[in-house]
C-alpha cells in the first residue's frame, strides 16, 4: 500500500470516528440534559477535557505515543483560546434564539475561509465556494427557524465565531509548523482548556441556568450518563484534532454540519422528535452540498498530486548540475521556508480545538 493510499485510509478513518463519536455524545448529552435535568454544559465540557488528558497520560505511560514538547506559549495560548471559544458558544446559545445560534455556527465556514485567505494566502476555487454555499443553504433550511436578534447575543455570537475560527486554524497550523501529531497537541493543550473551562464553567452555567452545579442532586443515573459522556468525549476530542490535522478547518466544519443532519435524522427515528418538510428538504440539499464538496476536494487533491509528481523529476535533473540549481534559486531550503511547495505554510502561526454541541 502506497503512502497516498495510507493517508486516504487514515483520513477516512478519522472522519468516520469523528461522525460516530460526535453523534453518540450528542444523543448521550441530550438524555443527560433533557431527561435528567443536568444543564451544566460548560462544566461538563471541562470534565470531558480532564478525562481526555488522563486517558492520554495513561496512553503516554504505555508508550502508545511519544511526548514532543514545543513552544509553551503557543500551547498555552491555543489551549486557553479553545476553552474561551467553547464558553462563548455556550453563552451564544444561552442569550440567543436557537435559530440565531444555528446561524452563528453556519457563519464559521465563511469566516474561516476569509481568515485563511487573508492571513494564510490560501486559495479556494469557485467550485469549492459553490459547494460550500449549497451546504450552508441546506443546513440553514433544515435548522434555522427563527431569528430573534439582540445586541448582547449578537456580540457574543460574533466573538464565538472569531475565536472558534482562529482556534481551529491554529489546530491545523500548529501541527504543521511544529511537526506534532494530533495526539501530541491534544495532550499538551488539554490541561489549559480544562482549567479555563473549570474556572469559568460554574459561573457561566449559573448565569445561564440559575442553578449551582455543586448543589445538583447526583443520582446513580446522572453519574452513569456523565461517566459515559466523558468516555465518549475522549474519542470526540481526539478525532477533532485528527480531522483538522489531516484535512483542514473548513473540512472539519463541513463534517460538523453532516453531524447536525445525522442528529436531526436520528432524533426523528429514535427519539420521535418533530420533523417537517423543511428538515427533509434542508438535509437533502446539505447532503448534495457535502457530496459536491467532497468530489471537488478529491479532484483538486489528485491534480496537486499529479503536478507535484511531474515537478519532482525536473527538480532532480536540476540538482545534478550545481550551477543550474544555483541559477534557478533551488539551493538549500531554510527552516523558515515552511516546507516544499506548500504556499500556505509560509505564513506565521497564530502566536498567543470541540465543541460541546458537537
Amino acid at each position: 500500500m502506497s503512502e497516498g493510499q495510507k493517508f486516504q485510509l487514515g483520513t477516512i478513518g478519522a472522519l468516520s470516528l469523528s461522525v460516530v463519536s460526535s453523534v453518540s455524545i450528542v444523543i448521550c448529552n441530550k438524555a443527560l440534559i433533557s431527561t435528567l435535568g443536568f444543564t451544566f454544559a460548560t462544566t461538563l465540557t471541562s470534565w470531558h477535557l480532564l478525562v481526555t488528558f488522563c486517558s492520554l497520560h495513561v496512553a503516554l505511560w504505555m508508550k502508545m505515543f511519544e511526548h514532543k514538547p514545543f513552544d509553551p506559549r503557543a500551547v498555552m495560548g491555543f489551549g486557553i483560546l479553545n476553552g474561551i471559544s467553547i464558553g462563548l458558544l455556550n453563552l451564544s446559545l444561552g442569550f440567543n434564539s436557537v435559530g440565531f445560534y444555528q446561524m452563528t455556527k453556519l457563519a464559521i465556514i465563511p469566516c474561516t475561509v476569509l481568515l485563511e485567505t487573508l492571513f494564510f494566502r490560501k486559495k479556494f476555487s469557485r467550485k469549492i465556494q459553490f459547494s460550500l454555499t449549497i451546504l450552508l443553504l441546506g443546513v440553514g433550511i433544515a435548522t434555522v427557524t427563527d431569528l430573534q436578534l439582540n445586541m448582547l447575543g449578537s456580540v457574543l455570537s460574533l466573538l464565538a465565531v472569531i475565536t472558534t475560527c482562529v482556534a481551529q486554524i491554529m489546530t491545523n497550523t500548529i501541527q504543521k509548523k511544529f511537526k506534532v501529531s494530533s495526539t501530541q497537541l491534544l495532550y499538551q493543550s488539554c490541561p489549559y482548556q480544562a482549567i479555563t473551562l473549570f474556572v469559568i464553567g460554574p459561573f457561566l452555567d449559573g448565569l445561564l441556568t440559575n442553578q449551582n452545579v455543586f448543589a445538583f442532586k447526583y443520582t446513580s443515573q446522572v453519574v452513569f450518563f456523565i461517566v459515559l459522556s466523558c468516555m465518549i468525549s475522549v474519542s470526540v476530542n481526539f478525532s477533532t484534532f485528527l480531522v483538522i490535522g489531516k484535512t483542514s478547518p473548513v473540512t472539519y466544519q463541513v463534517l460538523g454540519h453532516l453531524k447536525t443532519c445525522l442528529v436531526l435524522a436520528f432524533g426523528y427515528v429514535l427519539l420521535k422528535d418533530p420533523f417537517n418538510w423543511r428538515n427533509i428538504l434542508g438535509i437533502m440539499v446539505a447532503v448534495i452540498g457535502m457530496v459536491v464538496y467532497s468530489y471537488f476536494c478529491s479532484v483538486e487533491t489528485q491534480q496537486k498530486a499529479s503536478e507535484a509528481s511531474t515537478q519532482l523529476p525536473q527538480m532532480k535533473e536540476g540538482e545534478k548540475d550545481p550551477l543550474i540549481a544555483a541559477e534557478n534559486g533551488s539551493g538549500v531550503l531554510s527552516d523558515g521556508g515552511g516546507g516544499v511547495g506548500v504556499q500556505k505554510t509560509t505564513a506565521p502561526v497564530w502566536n498567543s480545538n470541540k465543541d460541546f454541541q458537537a
Side-chain angles (χ1 to χ4, degrees):
M1 186 180 291
S2 66
E3 288 296 322
Q5 289 175 324
K6 287 180 180 178
F7 181 80
Q8 273 191 330
L9 192 61
T11 303
I12 293 170
L15 294 171
S16 303
L17 178 63
S18 180
V19 170
V20 172
S21 58
S22 295
V23 172
S24 300
I25 203 169
V26 167
I27 294 173
C28 177
N29 289 341
K30 188 166 185 178
L32 186 60
I33 293 171
S34 302
T35 307
L36 301 174
F38 188 86
T39 55
F40 310 104
T42 310
T43 304
L44 180 61
T45 307
S46 70
W47 297 346
H48 287 171
L49 291 163
L50 182 61
V51 171
T52 299
F53 174 73
C54 293
S55 302
L56 290 175
H57 194 70
V58 172
L60 178 65
W61 178 72
M62 296 174 65
K63 298 182 179 179
M64 295 177 68
F65 71 96
E66 181 183 352
H67 179 49
K68 184 180 179 181
F70 60 96
D71 190 350
R73 289 181 299 175
V75 176
M76 181 185 297
F78 169 69
I80 294 173
L81 182 65
N82 256 309
I84 292 173
S85 69
I86 294 171
L88 285 170
L89 279 169
N90 288 336
L91 278 175
S92 174
L93 178 59
F95 284 92
N96 290 301
S97 64
V98 175
F100 190 82
Y101 173 73
Q102 289 296 339
M103 284 294 294
T104 298
K105 295 188 76 174
L106 290 177
I108 292 175
I109 283 184
C111 183
T112 303
V113 170
L114 178 64
L115 289 176
E116 289 199 301
T117 303
L118 290 177
F119 295 100
F120 294 88
R121 298 177 183 176
K122 185 174 180 179
K123 295 181 179 179
F124 294 87
S125 66
R126 291 190 179 275
K127 293 178 180 179
I128 294 295
Q129 294 174 20
F130 174 69
S131 62
L132 290 175
T133 303
I134 297 175
L135 166 68
L136 295 175
L137 177 65
V139 177
I141 293 172
T143 61
V144 178
T145 52
D146 58 323
L147 289 175
Q148 299 173 10
L149 302 178
N150 65 82
M151 180 58 69
L152 178 58
S154 300
V155 172
L156 289 171
S157 294
L158 177 62
L159 292 174
V161 169
I162 293 173
T163 53
T164 300
C165 292
V166 173
Q168 292 182 357
I169 290 172
M170 285 179 69
T171 302
N172 181 274
T173 308
I174 288 176
Q175 290 186 54
K176 288 180 168 59
K177 180 179 177 65
F178 295 104
K179 293 181 173 57
V180 293
S181 67
S182 55
T183 311
Q184 291 167 334
L185 178 58
L186 181 61
Y187 174 71
Q188 293 185 64
S189 63
C190 247
Y192 297 108
Q193 295 182 60
I195 291 170
T196 302
L197 291 175
F198 193 78
V199 170
I200 67 175
F203 170 74
L204 291 185
D205 291 333
L207 183 66
L208 296 172
T209 64
N210 293 321
Q211 296 181 55
N212 188 344
V213 64
F214 301 109
F216 187 80
K217 186 178 179 181
Y218 291 87
T219 64
S220 57
Q221 253 189 326
V222 171
V223 172
F224 170 77
F225 275 97
I226 288 175
V227 172
L228 180 62
S229 179
C230 288
M231 290 173 65
I232 299 173
S233 73
V234 177
S235 176
V236 173
N237 290 322
F238 173 71
S239 62
T240 296
F241 280 59
L242 194 61
V243 168
I244 296 176
K246 282 185 172 293
T247 57
S248 70
V250 173
T251 299
Y252 174 72
Q253 283 300 322
V254 171
L255 187 69
H257 292 307
L258 169 62
K259 298 171 196 173
T260 301
C261 294
L262 289 175
V263 167
L264 285 172
F266 278 123
Y268 173 71
V269 174
L270 300 178
L271 306 175
K272 304 301 178 185
D273 287 345
F275 215 61
N276 55 41
W277 66 269
R278 281 190 58 177
N279 299 129
I280 298 172
L281 175 63
I283 289 175
M284 289 175 63
V285 173
V287 168
I288 291 172
M290 291 173 205
V291 171
V292 174
Y293 174 80
S294 301
Y295 172 74
F296 286 145
C297 281
S298 177
V299 170
E300 290 187 6
T301 301
Q302 290 175 358
Q303 287 177 348
K304 290 177 182 177
S306 61
E307 288 173 5
S309 62
T310 54
Q311 288 176 359
L312 190 60
Q314 296 175 359
M315 290 175 64
K316 288 183 177 179
E317 288 175 7
E319 287 171 359
K320 292 177 182 178
D321 191 336
L323 182 59
I324 295 175
E327 287 176 350
N328 291 335
S330 58
V332 178
L333 286 171
S334 64
D335 292 336
V340 179
V342 183
Q343 186 178 8
K344 64 178 180 178
T345 57
T346 59
V349 68
W350 291 88
N351 202 0
S352 26
N353 342 53
K354 70 148 182 74
D355 168 76
F356 172 74
Q357 288 80 14

